[in-house]
């Protein structure tokens, strides 16, 4: 007979057990479920609902159950549906009527929300740490390349020269916002649902503030219906993960392009690539590709959760049990991405020569010429137009911008001076971009120093 079986005349159909079980995946919540139960019984004893000795016996037995699960010696039963009832049944098996007191003043509805919040609080810290690991690896690589010039791209077309460190640090910025989103989400999920009961609170004199303190929550959630009904913290967490996946997917895409034969800007370490079963010469950036690929799955989990929640009347509905698999998978996936990209970035070989060769394209410095004209008092729109004409003229002549004579240049840009012919040096170009946040090595070195210091602490 199931724990809730009192009013039933028949046992559950085997298919229903399969249909409703969550133990096959929610077992990972066990340390949090146990910690929550231990705080709960301590409170029950404190307010006099159960005896102190009973609370102590339950707490000790829960420790033993946890040790059994840790060691892989605990037998999870599908017939007991979920982690909450598996643990409770084990408790009752050992302690009898005393064990049967653990669920006093509690429902699985407030219990599962408590477990999830405890779990996500820990995972928020872990994902943040892994993101910091990737940031550190990007900064370490950047520190070596504050003077390595490559073309910056917009529309995947050559735009302006940048230093490689600048490109890498752009990802460090993105990951920093991802980390702050997780911290922010953690702030909001750090509140206790327990004591909400199934929906309406309890007739028993539960001390929710005490439990909140025991579990190091900021406090107890104010509204019992909200406490059991919402999963916005799951959505927020998934959306923070989706953004991390999106950022790392873009980094992966850059790595895939850069390691292609057309670019040959970097070479990934053999340890992070795989070969082809047919073509002997192949070395493929599979980790980067799968980072891109897995991102789709993470997005899917976010949309699935939003969709599951959208039509649910308050408060708890069993639909909400579907919040876990996608969440767990998204967490595992993003952690694996971050953990793998960090050493992969550290081992990437940078081909500065090829980067420099690509950045030598004089067209990359067209903006520099226009800005030189602006300094001569020419309105920017006119300057842009003149340089554009000059680019067109060179194209017609079949020469590079740097091959034009002053006379040829003046046909399009009457104000051109001999110094304009020297404008096509990419190093001069990056060094001149000293704007705050610009790509000048002088600026980028400051940013590297900033991150080296900032990333020392979690
Ligand atoms: N396994 C359930 C879940 O994850 C626990 C809550 C079940 N509550 C209930 N009244 N059936 O949502």
């Amino acid at each position: 007979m199931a724990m809730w079986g009192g009013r039933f005349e028949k046992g559950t159909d085997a298919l229903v057990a399969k249909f409703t079980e969550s133990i096959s995946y929610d077992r990972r919540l066990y340390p949090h479920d146990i910690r929550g139960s231990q705080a709960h019984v301590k409170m029950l004893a404190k307010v006099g609902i159960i005896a102190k000795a009973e609370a102590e016996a339950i707490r000790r037995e829960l420790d033993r159950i946890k040790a059994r699960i840790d060691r892989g010696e605990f037998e999870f039963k599908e017939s007991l549906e979920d982690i909450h009832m598996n643990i409770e049944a084990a408790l009752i098996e050992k302690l009898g009527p005393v064990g049967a007191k653990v669920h006093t003043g509690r429902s699985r509805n407030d219990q599962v929300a408590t477990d999830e919040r405890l779990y996500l609080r820990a995972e928020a810290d872990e994902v943040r740490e892994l993101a910091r690991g990737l940031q550190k690896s990007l900064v370490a690589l950047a520190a070596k390349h504050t003077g390595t010039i490559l073309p910056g791209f917009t529309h995947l077309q050559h735009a302006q020269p940048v230093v490689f460190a600048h490109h890498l640090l752009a990802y460090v910025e993105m990951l920093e916002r991802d980390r702050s989103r997780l911290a922010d989400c953690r702030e909001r999920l750090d509140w206790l649902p327990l004591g909400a009961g199934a929906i309406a609170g309890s007739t028993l004199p539960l001390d929710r503030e005490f439990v909140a303190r025991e579990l190091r929550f900021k406090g107890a959630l104010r509204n019992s219906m909200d406490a059991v009904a919402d999963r916005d913290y799951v959505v927020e967490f998934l959306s923070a993960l989706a953004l991390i996946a999106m950022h790392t997917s873009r980094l992966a895409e850059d790595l895939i392009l850069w390691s292609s034969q057309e670019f040959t800007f970097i070479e990934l370490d053999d340890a992070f690539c795989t070969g082809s079963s047919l073509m002997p010469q192949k070395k493929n950036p599979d980790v980067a590709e799968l980072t891109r690929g897995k991102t789709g799955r993470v997005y899917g989990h976010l949309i699935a959760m939003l969709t599951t929640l959208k039509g649910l009347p308050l408060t708890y509905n069993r639909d909400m049990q579907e919040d876990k698999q996608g969440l767990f998978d998204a967490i595992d996936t993003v952690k694996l991405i971050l953990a793998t990209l960090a050493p992969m970035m550290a081992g990437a070989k940078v081909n500065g020569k090829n980067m420099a060769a690509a950045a030598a394209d004089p067209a990359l410095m067209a903006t520099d010429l226009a800005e030189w004209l602006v300094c001569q008092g020419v309105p920017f729109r006119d300057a842009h137009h003149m340089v554009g004409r000059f680019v067109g003229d060179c194209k017609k002549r079949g020469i590079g911008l740097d091959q034009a004579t002053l006379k040829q240049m003046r046909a399009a840009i009457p104000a051109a001076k001999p110094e304009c012919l020297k404008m096509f040096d990419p190093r001069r170009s990056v060094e001149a971009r000293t704007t705050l946040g610009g790509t000048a090595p002088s600026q980028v070195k400051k940013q590297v120093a900033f991150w080296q210091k900032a990333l020392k602490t979690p």
Side-chain angles (χ1 to χ4, degrees):
M1 188 61 85
M3 286 203 181
W4 34 254
R7 55 107 63 222
F8 288 76
E9 285 175 6
K10 281 185 183 172
T12 319
D13 189 284
L15 282 171
V16 172
K18 262 242 146 331
F19 208 90
T20 56
E21 72 86 22
S22 54
I23 189 60
S24 56
Y25 49 88
D26 71 5
R27 60 180 66 180
R28 79 158 71 182
L29 295 174
Y30 79 90
H32 310 288
D33 194 76
I34 286 172
R35 192 172 162 207
S37 293
Q38 289 178 322
H40 181 65
V41 293
K42 191 167 175 186
M43 179 277 290
L44 291 177
K46 178 186 170 267
V47 300
I49 298 172
I50 64 173
K52 287 239 153 47
E54 290 175 326
E56 268 320 301
I58 294 173
R59 284 165 63 87
R60 274 197 306 275
E61 189 52 37
L62 284 168
D63 279 337
R64 281 193 283 271
I65 291 172
K66 176 165 183 302
R68 261 160 67 203
I69 303 177
D70 287 343
R71 289 196 302 268
E73 286 165 10
F74 187 93
E75 196 202 332
F76 291 106
K77 295 198 187 91
E78 187 183 83
S79 58
L80 290 167
E81 281 186 37
D82 55 26
I83 187 63
H84 324 298
M85 293 203 293
N86 268 271
I87 291 175
E88 190 184 335
L91 197 61
I92 294 170
E93 196 184 304
K94 289 277 186 223
L95 300 183
V98 172
K101 292 192 175 185
V102 69
H103 210 52
T104 310
R106 187 177 75 173
S107 155
R108 280 185 292 156
N109 298 353
D110 55 351
Q111 191 179 357
V112 69
T114 303
D115 290 9
E116 284 184 340
R117 285 169 184 261
L118 287 171
Y119 164 74
L120 287 177
R121 206 170 63 178
E123 290 294 351
D125 296 341
E126 283 192 28
V127 179
R128 275 172 51 79
E129 261 312 277
L130 286 166
R132 188 167 71 104
L134 177 55
Q135 286 178 304
K136 281 162 96 176
S137 162
L138 288 163
V139 171
L141 189 60
K144 290 189 240 158
H145 294 286
T146 54
T148 307
I149 299 173
L150 78 164
F153 294 82
T154 62
H155 313 267
L156 198 56
Q157 307 282 321
H158 280 182
Q160 292 172 351
V162 294
V163 295
F164 189 47
H166 198 48
H167 195 132
L168 296 172
L169 291 183
Y171 285 114
V172 177
E173 297 283 350
M174 295 174 201
L175 287 166
E176 186 63 15
R177 285 193 296 277
D178 291 334
R179 278 166 28 87
S180 89
R181 260 184 289 272
L182 280 170
D184 189 44
C185 163
R186 187 193 193 285
E187 286 288 298
R188 266 186 300 279
L189 64 79
D190 198 14
W191 296 84
L192 174 78
L194 215 58
I199 170 166
S202 179
T203 60
L204 301 167
L206 307 179
D207 186 347
R208 298 186 61 218
E209 296 293 351
F210 175 84
V211 179
R213 280 194 300 277
E214 279 290 302
L215 296 174
R216 307 220 182 296
F217 281 114
K218 291 197 190 319
L221 286 166
R222 256 191 311 264
N223 181 309
S224 66
M225 294 179 74
D226 169 49
V228 296
D230 208 2
R231 292 290 182 270
D232 57 354
Y233 55 91
V234 174
V235 173
E236 273 193 53
F237 206 98
L238 281 169
S239 91
L241 294 176
L243 284 169
I244 297 177
M246 181 272 285
H247 287 146
T248 50
S249 180
R250 292 185 73 172
L251 171 59
E253 175 62 14
D254 273 341
L255 297 176
I256 291 163
L257 284 174
W258 292 340
S259 57
S260 72
Q261 284 72 26
E262 279 64 29
F263 282 78
T264 330
F265 283 1
I266 60 161
E267 188 182 343
L268 296 171
D269 194 88
D270 278 4
F272 289 91
C273 292
T274 54
S276 157
S277 58
L278 190 147
M279 298 171 281
Q281 86 284 11
K282 292 280 278 180
K283 173 170 160 182
N284 296 326
D286 297 41
V287 170
E289 291 169 275
L290 279 168
T291 295
R292 209 172 47 182
K294 287 170 188 292
T295 296
R297 219 171 71 231
V298 175
Y299 289 2
H301 295 322
L302 170 61
I303 298 301
M305 191 68 246
L306 284 166
T307 310
T308 298
L309 291 174
K310 76 179 268 292
L312 299 184
L314 294 196
T315 53
Y316 179 83
N317 301 269
R318 192 62 179 267
D319 314 43
M320 285 152 73
Q321 180 168 290
E322 290 290 315
D323 62 352
K324 291 175 200 65
Q325 279 159 301
L327 176 65
F328 296 164
D329 181 60
I331 289 173
D332 294 345
T333 301
V334 168
K335 282 167 81 174
L336 190 58
I337 289 174
L338 292 169
T340 313
L341 288 188
M344 187 164 113
M345 289 313 299
K349 275 197 236 23
V350 176
N351 191 335
K353 267 206 189 106
N354 280 349
M355 288 182 175
D361 173 3
L364 284 162
M365 272 62 76
T367 315
D368 299 54
L369 191 51
E371 286 178 355
W372 179 87
L373 283 165
V374 165
C375 293
Q376 312 302 305
V378 180
F380 179 73
R381 269 297 142 232
D382 299 338
H384 185 285
H385 189 81
M386 285 183 232
V387 177
R389 232 199 90 189
F390 172 57
V391 172
D393 288 352
C394 288
K395 198 160 177 287
K396 267 184 236 143
R397 288 195 183 98
I399 58 169
L401 269 53
D402 55 341
Q403 290 168 307
T405 63
L406 186 59
K407 193 161 162 250
Q408 287 170 331
M409 192 184 271
R410 278 186 175 152
I413 311 168
K417 289 191 185 148
E419 59 190 282
C420 297
L421 300 175
K422 294 199 204 96
M423 205 118 280
F424 303 105
D425 172 18
R427 183 151 309 273
R428 194 211 53 81
S429 174
V430 294
E431 277 168 4
R433 286 200 160 64
T434 53
T435 335
L436 175 70
T439 201
S442 57
Q443 276 294 326
V444 175
K445 277 180 194 153
K446 278 187 206 157
Q447 293 179 27
V448 168
F450 167 80
W451 285 116
Q452 282 170 335
K453 184 153 180 274
L455 293 172
K456 278 208 178 96
T457 45

